[in-house]
């Protein structure tokens, strides 16, 4: 049974560019959450998708947007990249949005903005 | 607002010694608390979670944590460290309001295990 998968594993962009990161949830999971983990920091919640809708959002600007597809996979889009967007982006999936549902994390996409 | 503070960004122990990683939380509502571990170049793996059923929570790999409301703490312990325990450990808090799974993480503690 495949766990949470993310692509690409690494990405290098320049300031002002746009980037799309992808996530496939664990089999049977219908909820995807995205987190940003800056170097030396804990992950920070970006947003959560359930039933193809954004259910909750963290303190991130509108440059960060997402999408969930009917097969529950998800994309994270970041526009007008800034140097400070360099981080590890983690996707987590769960069955349902309840807080007691264990979130399974993927290995992440490491984004470097030059 | 909820927050988590992990005391000590780096902890070093000898193999076979007690592991103690400290976590204090702030929450205006009854919290749910979690410990995750992150090995190099991997995602986060859940070690254990507190959901108000029992104050002493046993997790995987021999780890356990005790919820102490009076001290607003949820420290992670393991009686005997193994080399394979070397990793980054994160404490996280959430709450049931709105039935959301949003996790708020601490800064993390790097555990070094010396032979």
């Amino acid at each position: 049974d495949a766990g949470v998968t993310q692509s690409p594993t690494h990405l290098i962009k320049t300031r002002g560019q746009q980037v799309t990161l992808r996530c496939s949830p664990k089999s049977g999971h219908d909820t995807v959450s995205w987190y940003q983990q800056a170097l030396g920091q804990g992950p920070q919640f970006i947003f959560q998708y359930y039933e193809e809708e954004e259910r909750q959002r963290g303190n991130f600007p509108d440059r960060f947007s997402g999408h969930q597809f009917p097969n529950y996979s998800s994309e994270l889009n970041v526009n007008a990249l800034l140097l400070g967007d360099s981080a590890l982006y983690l996707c987590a999936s769960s069955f349902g949005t309840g807080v007691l549902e264990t979130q399974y994390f993927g290995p992440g996409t490491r984004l470097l903005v030059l | 607002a909820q927050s988590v503070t992990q005391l000590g960004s780096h902890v070093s122990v000898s193999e076979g010694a007690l592991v103690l990683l400290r976590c204090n939380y702030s929450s205006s509502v009854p919290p749910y608390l979690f410990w995750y571990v992150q090995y190099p170049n991997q995602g986060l793996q859940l070690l254990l979670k507190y959901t108000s059923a029992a104050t002493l929570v046993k997790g995987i790999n021999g780890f356990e944590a005790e919820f102490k409301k009076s001290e607003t703490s949820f420290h992670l312990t393991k009686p005997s460290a193994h080399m394979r325990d070397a990793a980054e450990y994160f404490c996280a808090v959430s709450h049931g309001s709105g039935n959301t799974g949003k996790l708020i993480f601490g800064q993390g503690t790097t555990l070094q295990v010396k032979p």
Side-chain angles (χ1 to χ4, degrees), chain A residues 35 37 40-43 45 48 56-58 88 90 97-103 105-107, chain B residues 32 34 36 38 41-44 46 49 51 90 94-96 99-103 105-107:
Chain A
Y35 292 81
Q37 186 179 14
Q41 304 292 319
F45 178 80
Q48 181 184 76
Q56 189 174 12
R57 188 180 184 89
L88 179 68
L90 296 166
T97 60
V99 65
L100 298 183
E101 298 298 331
T102 298
Q103 295 190 33
F105 284 79
Chain B
Y32 296 110
F34 307 79
Y36 279 85
Q38 185 175 34
N41 300 316
Q42 293 187 30
L44 279 70
L46 180 67
K49 61 183 177 184
T51 60
F90 292 96
S94 187
H95 62 80
N99 202 32
T100 175
K102 173 183 175 181
L103 295 170
F105 286 89
Q107 300 272 59

Side-chain angles (χ1 to χ4, degrees), chain B residues 20-38:
Chain B
L20 172 60
L21 304 183
R22 300 177 186 274
C23 172
N24 287 88
Y25 69 90
S26 172
S27 178
S28 57
V29 297
Y32 296 110
L33 295 158
F34 307 79
W35 275 100
Y36 279 85
V37 61
Q38 185 175 34

Side-chain angles (χ1 to χ4, degrees), chain B:
Chain B
Q2 296 179 308
S3 65
V4 169
T5 301
Q6 292 184 239
L7 301 176
S9 58
H10 288 83
V11 171
S12 182
V13 301
S14 298
E15 191 173 20
L18 171 72
V19 175
L20 172 60
L21 304 183
R22 300 177 186 274
C23 172
N24 287 88
Y25 69 90
S26 172
S27 178
S28 57
V29 297
Y32 296 110
L33 295 158
F34 307 79
W35 275 100
Y36 279 85
V37 61
Q38 185 175 34
Y39 298 102
N41 300 316
Q42 293 187 30
L44 279 70
Q45 180 183 12
L46 180 67
L47 281 175
L48 48 82
K49 61 183 177 184
Y50 166 75
T51 60
S52 76
T55 57
L56 182 62
V57 183
K58 295 188 184 296
I60 62 172
N61 301 340
F63 285 94
E64 64 180 37
E66 186 172 8
F67 173 71
K68 293 186 176 181
K69 183 178 180 180
S70 61
E71 299 178 8
T72 61
S73 69
F74 190 57
H75 301 330
L76 182 71
T77 60
K78 181 173 180 177
S80 177
H82 292 275
M83 296 296 293
R84 62 177 176 267
D85 296 327
E88 186 84 12
Y89 291 80
F90 292 96
C91 182
V93 65
S94 187
H95 62 80
S97 176
N99 202 32
T100 175
K102 173 183 175 181
L103 295 170
I104 298 169
F105 286 89
Q107 300 272 59
T109 297
T110 301
L111 176 64
Q112 179 187 25
V113 182
K114 298 177 290 186

Side-chain angles (χ1 to χ4, degrees), chain A residues 8-30:
Chain A
T9 56
H10 294 80
L11 205 51
I12 300 176
K13 293 286 188 179
T14 57
R15 282 179 297 174
Q17 285 189 311
Q18 178 263 343
V19 69
T20 297
L21 311 181
R22 296 175 177 81
C23 172
S24 291
K26 184 177 169 64
S27 178
H29 286 184
D30 57 8

